Amino acid sequence: MDVHREDIDISIDTDEVLNVEEEYYQKGFREGQEQSTRQQEMEGKEYGYQTGFQRFLIVGYIDGLVEHWSRNIQTYEASASVANHLKQLEALIKDIPITNGDEEVAHYEKSVAKARNKLRVIATLVKETSKIAKLDELIKEVGGQLQVSENVDDMW
Amino acid sequence: MGCSNCQPEIKTSLHSKDSNDFEDDVWGDDDVYVDANADVKRAHQKQGYLDGLASAQESSLQSGFDKAFSDGARMGAAVGKILGELRALGESESFYQATKELNIAKIMDKKYFDSELKIQKNHEVIYKWQKIVAQHLEDATKA
């Protein structure tokens, strides 16, 4: 700290003065550090919520379709084949971890890529490709650009 | 008793000529002394605070991100599922409405979070749409 110790007009116990200065400096420092640490953690949280949300929209969407097709499995031609594909797709998305570690993210990328392919196969098989049409646009619209919010000030 | 070395920015009893008077005068006004001392405390505390602000713990951004990511993922998966179900059911009106109400900017509105940015247990909008989906499913079964 640079509060001109050398300029102090000494007539009382110097150590005591310096101790007081140091003590209050440290007190302030802790408060400042806590404040900025908290602020950064909050920023991290906002970004974490957004990223998690954006990444798992597709997973949930596939899950919804899988449940729908499974419920109506009897109505499809080649239902045995459809059921088999559905089982594989279900297994793929069920195991995707929702944490942000390096391994988990790699797992996510791999599983989602496979799941997308599987999804196309099934949709074609049951002749319902319209249900996965413009899926990327949908994901982008719902999870995408935050700045399009009409009341940006209300967000965090 | 001179004070030629006094710095203008440190106008406190500890540094000024007056301080000697207070020190010498054991019967000095305690209140005045305390106030003056508080200035020193404030000055140092403020400087410490400013230095502290610039020294946020480096891991805090990442730790915040990691903490919120899973909750964000759960919400995203729930919203995706609602949309998938509605589209599969051919409920195009509901589907369209849901894409508006479940938009990330609406879901992440700060009114659904506390001051620590913790989410309500059941996000009310997501919950509402889960019920709508359940109702559609029920209707579809009856039909």
Side-chain angles (χ1 to χ4, degrees):
Chain A
M1 61 193 220
D2 54 358
V3 191
H4 311 288
R5 287 176 179 168
E6 68 276 14
D7 293 328
I8 296 169
D9 191 1
I10 296 169
S11 60
I12 57 173
D13 186 340
T14 313
D15 284 346
E16 196 182 307
V17 175
L18 296 182
N19 281 342
V20 167
E21 289 180 355
E22 185 64 18
E23 185 187 322
Y24 278 87
Y25 177 85
Q26 289 301 338
K27 185 168 183 279
F29 188 90
R30 279 194 303 274
E31 286 171 6
Q33 193 176 42
E34 272 164 29
Q35 168 70 22
S36 58
T37 297
R38 184 187 139 82
Q39 202 176 330
Q40 283 210 5
E41 171 137 354
M42 289 299 156
E43 280 171 29
K45 279 187 180 176
E46 290 177 22
Y47 191 42
Y49 273 122
Q50 291 169 26
T51 310
F53 186 90
Q54 288 163 341
R55 301 193 116 224
F56 278 79
L57 276 173
I58 178 82
V59 177
Y61 190 89
I62 295 174
D63 188 22
L65 289 187
V66 167
E67 289 204 1
H68 174 80
W69 285 327
S70 298
R71 268 194 305 270
N72 298 288
I73 192 72
Q74 304 300 343
T75 65
Y76 302 116
E77 289 172 45
S79 64
S81 172
V82 174
N84 192 33
H85 282 299
L86 279 175
K87 227 164 133 187
Q88 292 172 30
L89 180 52
E90 202 176 0
L92 270 176
I93 58 167
K94 207 179 65 190
D95 286 346
I96 299 179
I98 56 166
T99 41
N100 186 48
D102 291 342
E103 262 176 56
E104 290 97 322
V105 170
H107 186 154
Y108 168 93
E109 303 284 359
K110 219 171 133 187
S111 296
V112 168
K114 280 190 193 168
R116 279 172 174 275
N117 288 332
K118 200 47 113 178
L119 186 69
R120 262 193 297 275
V121 170
I122 300 169
T124 308
L125 211 54
V126 300
K127 301 184 179 69
E128 294 181 6
T129 48
S130 64
K131 289 182 177 135
I132 59 167
K134 296 188 175 168
L135 187 48
D136 288 326
E137 283 91 331
L138 173 70
I139 299 301
K140 214 172 156 189
E141 188 199 328
V142 177
Q145 292 86 18
L146 280 157
Q147 56 270 31
V148 298
S149 165
E150 51 223 71
N151 44 0
V152 146
D153 288 345
D154 284 347
M155 290 188 54
W156 290 316
Chain B
M1 207 160 47
C3 187
S4 56
N5 289 331
C6 284
Q7 294 295 308
E9 67 268 34
I10 310 175
K11 292 174 187 160
T12 72
S13 67
L14 290 178
H15 305 281
S16 73
K17 128 186 196 291
D18 289 345
S19 75
N20 295 332
D21 296 343
F22 287 127
E23 286 301 308
D24 292 343
D25 179 5
V26 291
W27 308 114
D29 188 331
D30 280 349
D31 289 342
V32 172
Y33 178 78
V34 167
D35 281 347
N37 198 17
D39 280 350
V40 178
K41 291 174 180 175
R42 263 198 295 278
H44 288 89
Q45 197 166 335
K46 191 181 171 194
Q47 186 57 50
Y49 185 79
L50 293 174
D51 292 348
L53 271 186
S55 317
Q57 281 157 24
E58 278 177 24
S59 57
S60 52
L61 192 71
Q62 187 64 48
S63 96
F65 184 97
D66 291 345
K67 274 181 205 160
F69 182 88
S70 299
D71 283 335
R74 275 187 208 97
M75 288 190 281
V79 167
K81 188 168 181 178
I82 290 163
L83 297 173
E85 296 260 22
L86 290 175
R87 202 182 208 181
L89 286 164
E91 295 289 346
S92 47
E93 241 175 75
S94 284
F95 175 80
Y96 177 78
Q97 188 62 27
T99 61
K100 301 297 164 210
E101 289 188 26
L102 295 167
N103 183 281
I104 187 167
K106 296 269 171 59
I107 294 298
M108 300 297 171
D109 192 305
K110 68 180 172 192
K111 70 185 172 198
Y112 303 121
F113 296 80
D114 68 15
S115 61
E116 292 298 312
L117 286 188
K118 271 194 79 169
I119 180 75
Q120 309 171 334
K121 240 188 187 154
N122 280 318
H123 193 294
E124 60 186 73
V125 183
I126 295 176
Y127 186 60
K128 168 192 153 183
W129 279 97
Q130 284 170 334
K131 283 197 296 189
I132 292 174
V133 168
Q135 187 59 51
H136 281 311
L137 282 173
E138 212 182 302
D139 296 346
T141 324
K142 281 181 199 155

